[in-house]
Amino acid sequence: MAPSEPGHIVKSYEQELNQLRTLMARMGGLVENQTAHAIAAILDHNAESAQMAMEQDPEVDALEREVEARAIKLLALRAPMAQDLREIVSALKVTSDLERIGDYAANVAKRSLRLGPASLDISLGGLRNMSRLVQESLRLAIDALGQNDKDKAIDVWRSDKAVDEMYTAMFRELVTYMMEDPRNIGACTHLLFIAKNLERIGDHATNIAERVHYAVTGEMLPFGRPRGGSSTTPEGAAS
Amino acid sequence: MAPSEPGHIVKSYEQELNQLRTLMARMGGLVENQTAHAIAAILDHNAESAQMAMEQDPEVDALEREVEARAIKLLALRAPMAQDLREIVSALKVTSDLERIGDYAANVAKRSLRLGPASLDISLGGLRNMSRLVQESLRLAIDALGQNDKDKAIDVWRSDKAVDEMYTAMFRELVTYMMEDPRNIGACTHLLFIAKNLERIGDHATNIAERVHYAVTGEMLPFGRPRGGSSTTPEGAAS
């Protein structure tokens, strides 16, 4: 720490920054895994996956706090500048998104356990497609984060529209099921929220992508991200 | 700015910190107002209020970006320490919560316009009580934020349980309405999401309270916030 050892100081600063990156990667990987379990819980009626998705939630919360503590330490002791500073501030914001994704995944898992046998008569095709797209989007966002890759970030940002459109279609489909047979209402209500949660996971993946783009380039992506459904069709209120 | 003017430098640093606080207060006030408009839009079927709640959303987003830009500037040029540093980091996190509250309020407003005449037959008593509590909780959280008041923060944190319980009761009530008369399904689906959005606004108010507590004391409130409904009753999946 003595001023006569500048090499040591620099190395240690980079080590600390890398530790922060490693923690973010761990948090990202955990949330991705949690989302995969939550999706298996609904699509494959897998109660064990549901349990795993729910159990991972406290670990995600603990990681958010650890990232924050380390970011504060870095800011206090190292006075980082320019891209490093933007990266640390972005890490603080991104952990909020990751934590929310974890919450949504845990909620999807919890609801999957309450769907009941009636849900087996409802086609899960729409949900399957939407899940695939959201998972892909999340994977890409977390890759972009780990690699500081602005091009991947832009890909995620562009895919949000398709997720929104799928959600709007699912919303309509589920309301139709409920109207056709009131016995479907219980299960469909849960499926409505499950679809909404998946759409929100996609939205937070897009937030992460916007953050990565900003941390790398110093430029914010435009306010109006490409959107499907919610503001352009009569089903808009489904969002 | 010369080193011979330390008084000037100190004053300017405090001015910058105060500007950040003023921006946060403006963002808080705006989001509170937006929530009030959204609630008036549902409870009083006031389309003008709905419009106002929706139109405020871009301003909230712009304020979030401005807070972030100023926080980064403060971090880069002023190297704040201890409580100031915690306050700036908390500001960065709190703006995410405020921005989400604004989004939920705008979504409530948008849905209020799609409820249609059928909704007039549905009792809004539960929603009215829940709205009152959520608004009170949000007001208190924003007060706590503006005054760095940890006692108010703890009050908000404690009220979250009551909001959760009201939401669970509303969820059950709305599903019953749908089962009684399928013509209620469209409106009730929107009301379900409206209730969920209000519950989420309460949840984000609690996040803000936790942040204020941390910024002031340096201590995190315990993980397990007092919770109603979601994990203790069979209706748990309603969360």
Side-chain angles (χ1 to χ4, degrees):
Chain A
M1 280 297 224
S4 57
E5 296 174 281
H8 175 71
I9 288 174
V10 169
K11 192 173 163 214
S12 167
Y13 166 65
E14 262 170 29
Q15 274 175 345
E16 281 177 33
L17 198 58
N18 276 331
Q19 274 174 346
L20 188 75
R21 287 178 185 135
T22 305
L23 272 182
M24 294 294 293
R26 234 176 81 198
M27 195 175 171
L30 194 63
V31 161
E32 218 184 313
N33 188 262
Q34 204 182 354
T35 305
H37 278 306
I39 287 171
I42 337 162
L43 297 182
D44 311 331
H45 309 281
N46 186 335
E48 213 172 299
S49 287
Q51 209 55 45
M52 287 181 77
M54 290 187 288
E55 281 167 9
Q56 284 170 320
D57 219 29
E59 199 181 334
V60 173
D61 291 350
L63 275 170
E64 183 185 16
R65 295 191 175 201
E66 200 179 334
V67 166
E68 184 172 337
R70 275 180 196 260
I72 288 180
K73 208 178 138 203
L74 263 166
L75 290 170
L77 304 179
R78 302 293 181 172
M81 299 293 287
Q83 191 177 337
D84 285 355
L85 177 57
R86 286 200 308 271
E87 188 180 338
I88 293 166
V89 166
S90 285
L92 285 165
K93 302 283 272 187
V94 163
T95 54
S96 297
D97 287 299
L98 289 173
E99 188 270 336
R100 291 299 310 141
I101 293 174
D103 271 3
Y104 285 120
N107 187 265
V108 165
K110 193 161 79 171
R111 286 181 193 276
S112 77
L113 296 175
R114 320 273 169 127
L115 273 177
S119 69
L120 298 175
D121 298 332
I122 296 169
S123 152
L124 294 177
L127 207 57
R128 194 174 298 276
N129 290 337
M130 195 177 161
S131 300
R132 198 176 297 134
L133 196 63
V134 166
Q135 264 189 293
E136 173 61 18
S137 191
L138 179 60
R139 192 188 59 71
L140 210 59
I142 289 169
D143 276 4
L145 181 68
Q147 298 155 13
N148 278 327
D149 184 331
K150 75 172 164 55
D151 297 323
K152 278 189 182 163
I154 291 174
D155 287 346
V156 176
W157 185 74
R158 287 209 179 105
S159 71
D160 199 42
K161 185 169 177 280
V163 174
D164 286 354
E165 281 166 357
M166 281 180 172
Y167 170 69
T168 303
M170 270 222 69
F171 182 92
R172 256 186 296 179
E173 194 186 342
L174 287 168
V175 169
T176 309
Y177 273 123
M178 290 197 270
M179 293 195 174
E180 274 169 13
D181 184 350
R183 282 170 301 178
N184 289 329
I185 289 174
C188 282
T189 320
H190 285 305
L191 286 169
L192 271 178
F193 278 103
I194 286 171
K196 183 74 207 166
N197 286 348
L198 288 174
E199 186 266 338
R200 297 292 310 137
I201 290 175
D203 216 33
H204 283 283
T206 309
N207 288 351
I208 293 171
E210 287 177 347
R211 286 274 136 210
V212 171
H213 189 272
Y214 167 71
V216 175
T217 65
E219 307 269 317
M220 302 270 193
L221 283 163
F223 273 114
R225 63 175 70 164
R227 276 196 190 283
S230 59
S231 57
T232 50
T233 71
E235 290 74 25
S239 71
Chain B
M1 279 297 226
S4 57
E5 298 172 282
H8 175 70
I9 288 173
V10 169
K11 193 174 161 212
S12 167
Y13 167 65
E14 262 170 28
Q15 275 174 344
E16 280 177 33
L17 199 58
N18 276 330
Q19 275 174 344
L20 188 74
R21 287 179 185 133
T22 305
L23 272 182
M24 293 295 292
R26 234 175 81 198
M27 195 175 170
L30 193 64
V31 161
E32 220 183 312
N33 188 262
Q34 203 182 357
T35 305
H37 278 306
I39 287 172
I42 334 161
L43 298 181
D44 312 332
H45 309 281
N46 186 333
E48 213 171 301
S49 287
Q51 209 55 46
M52 287 181 79
M54 289 187 289
E55 280 168 9
Q56 283 170 320
D57 219 30
E59 200 181 335
V60 173
D61 291 350
L63 275 170
E64 184 186 15
R65 295 191 176 199
E66 198 178 336
V67 166
E68 184 172 336
R70 276 180 195 261
I72 288 180
K73 208 178 139 206
L74 263 166
L75 290 170
L77 303 180
R78 302 294 181 171
M81 299 292 287
Q83 193 180 334
D84 286 354
L85 177 57
R86 285 201 307 273
E87 190 181 337
I88 293 166
V89 166
S90 285
L92 285 166
K93 301 284 272 187
V94 163
T95 53
S96 296
D97 286 299
L98 289 173
E99 188 269 336
R100 289 301 308 141
I101 292 174
D103 270 3
Y104 285 121
N107 188 265
V108 166
K110 191 161 78 168
R111 285 180 191 278
S112 77
L113 297 175
R114 320 273 168 129
L115 273 176
S119 70
L120 298 174
D121 298 333
I122 296 169
S123 153
L124 294 177
L127 207 59
R128 193 174 297 276
N129 291 335
M130 195 177 161
S131 299
R132 199 178 294 135
L133 196 65
V134 166
Q135 264 189 295
E136 173 61 19
S137 191
L138 179 59
R139 192 189 58 73
L140 210 59
I142 288 167
D143 275 5
L145 181 68
Q147 299 155 13
N148 277 329
D149 184 330
K150 76 172 163 54
D151 296 324
K152 278 189 183 163
I154 291 174
D155 287 345
V156 176
W157 186 72
R158 286 208 180 105
S159 72
D160 198 43
K161 186 170 177 282
V163 173
D164 286 354
E165 282 166 357
M166 281 179 173
Y167 169 69
T168 303
M170 271 222 66
F171 182 90
R172 255 185 297 178
E173 196 187 340
L174 287 168
V175 169
T176 310
Y177 273 122
M178 289 196 271
M179 292 194 173
E180 275 169 12
D181 185 348
R183 281 169 301 177
N184 289 328
I185 288 173
C188 282
T189 318
H190 284 305
L191 286 169
L192 271 179
F193 278 104
I194 286 171
K196 184 72 207 169
N197 286 348
L198 288 174
E199 187 264 339
R200 297 292 311 137
I201 290 175
D203 216 34
H204 283 283
T206 309
N207 288 352
I208 292 171
E210 287 177 346
R211 286 274 135 210
V212 171
H213 189 272
Y214 167 72
V216 176
T217 66
E219 306 268 318
M220 301 272 193
L221 283 164
F223 274 115
R225 62 176 69 164
R227 276 196 191 282
S230 60
S231 58
T232 52
T233 71
E235 290 73 26
S239 69

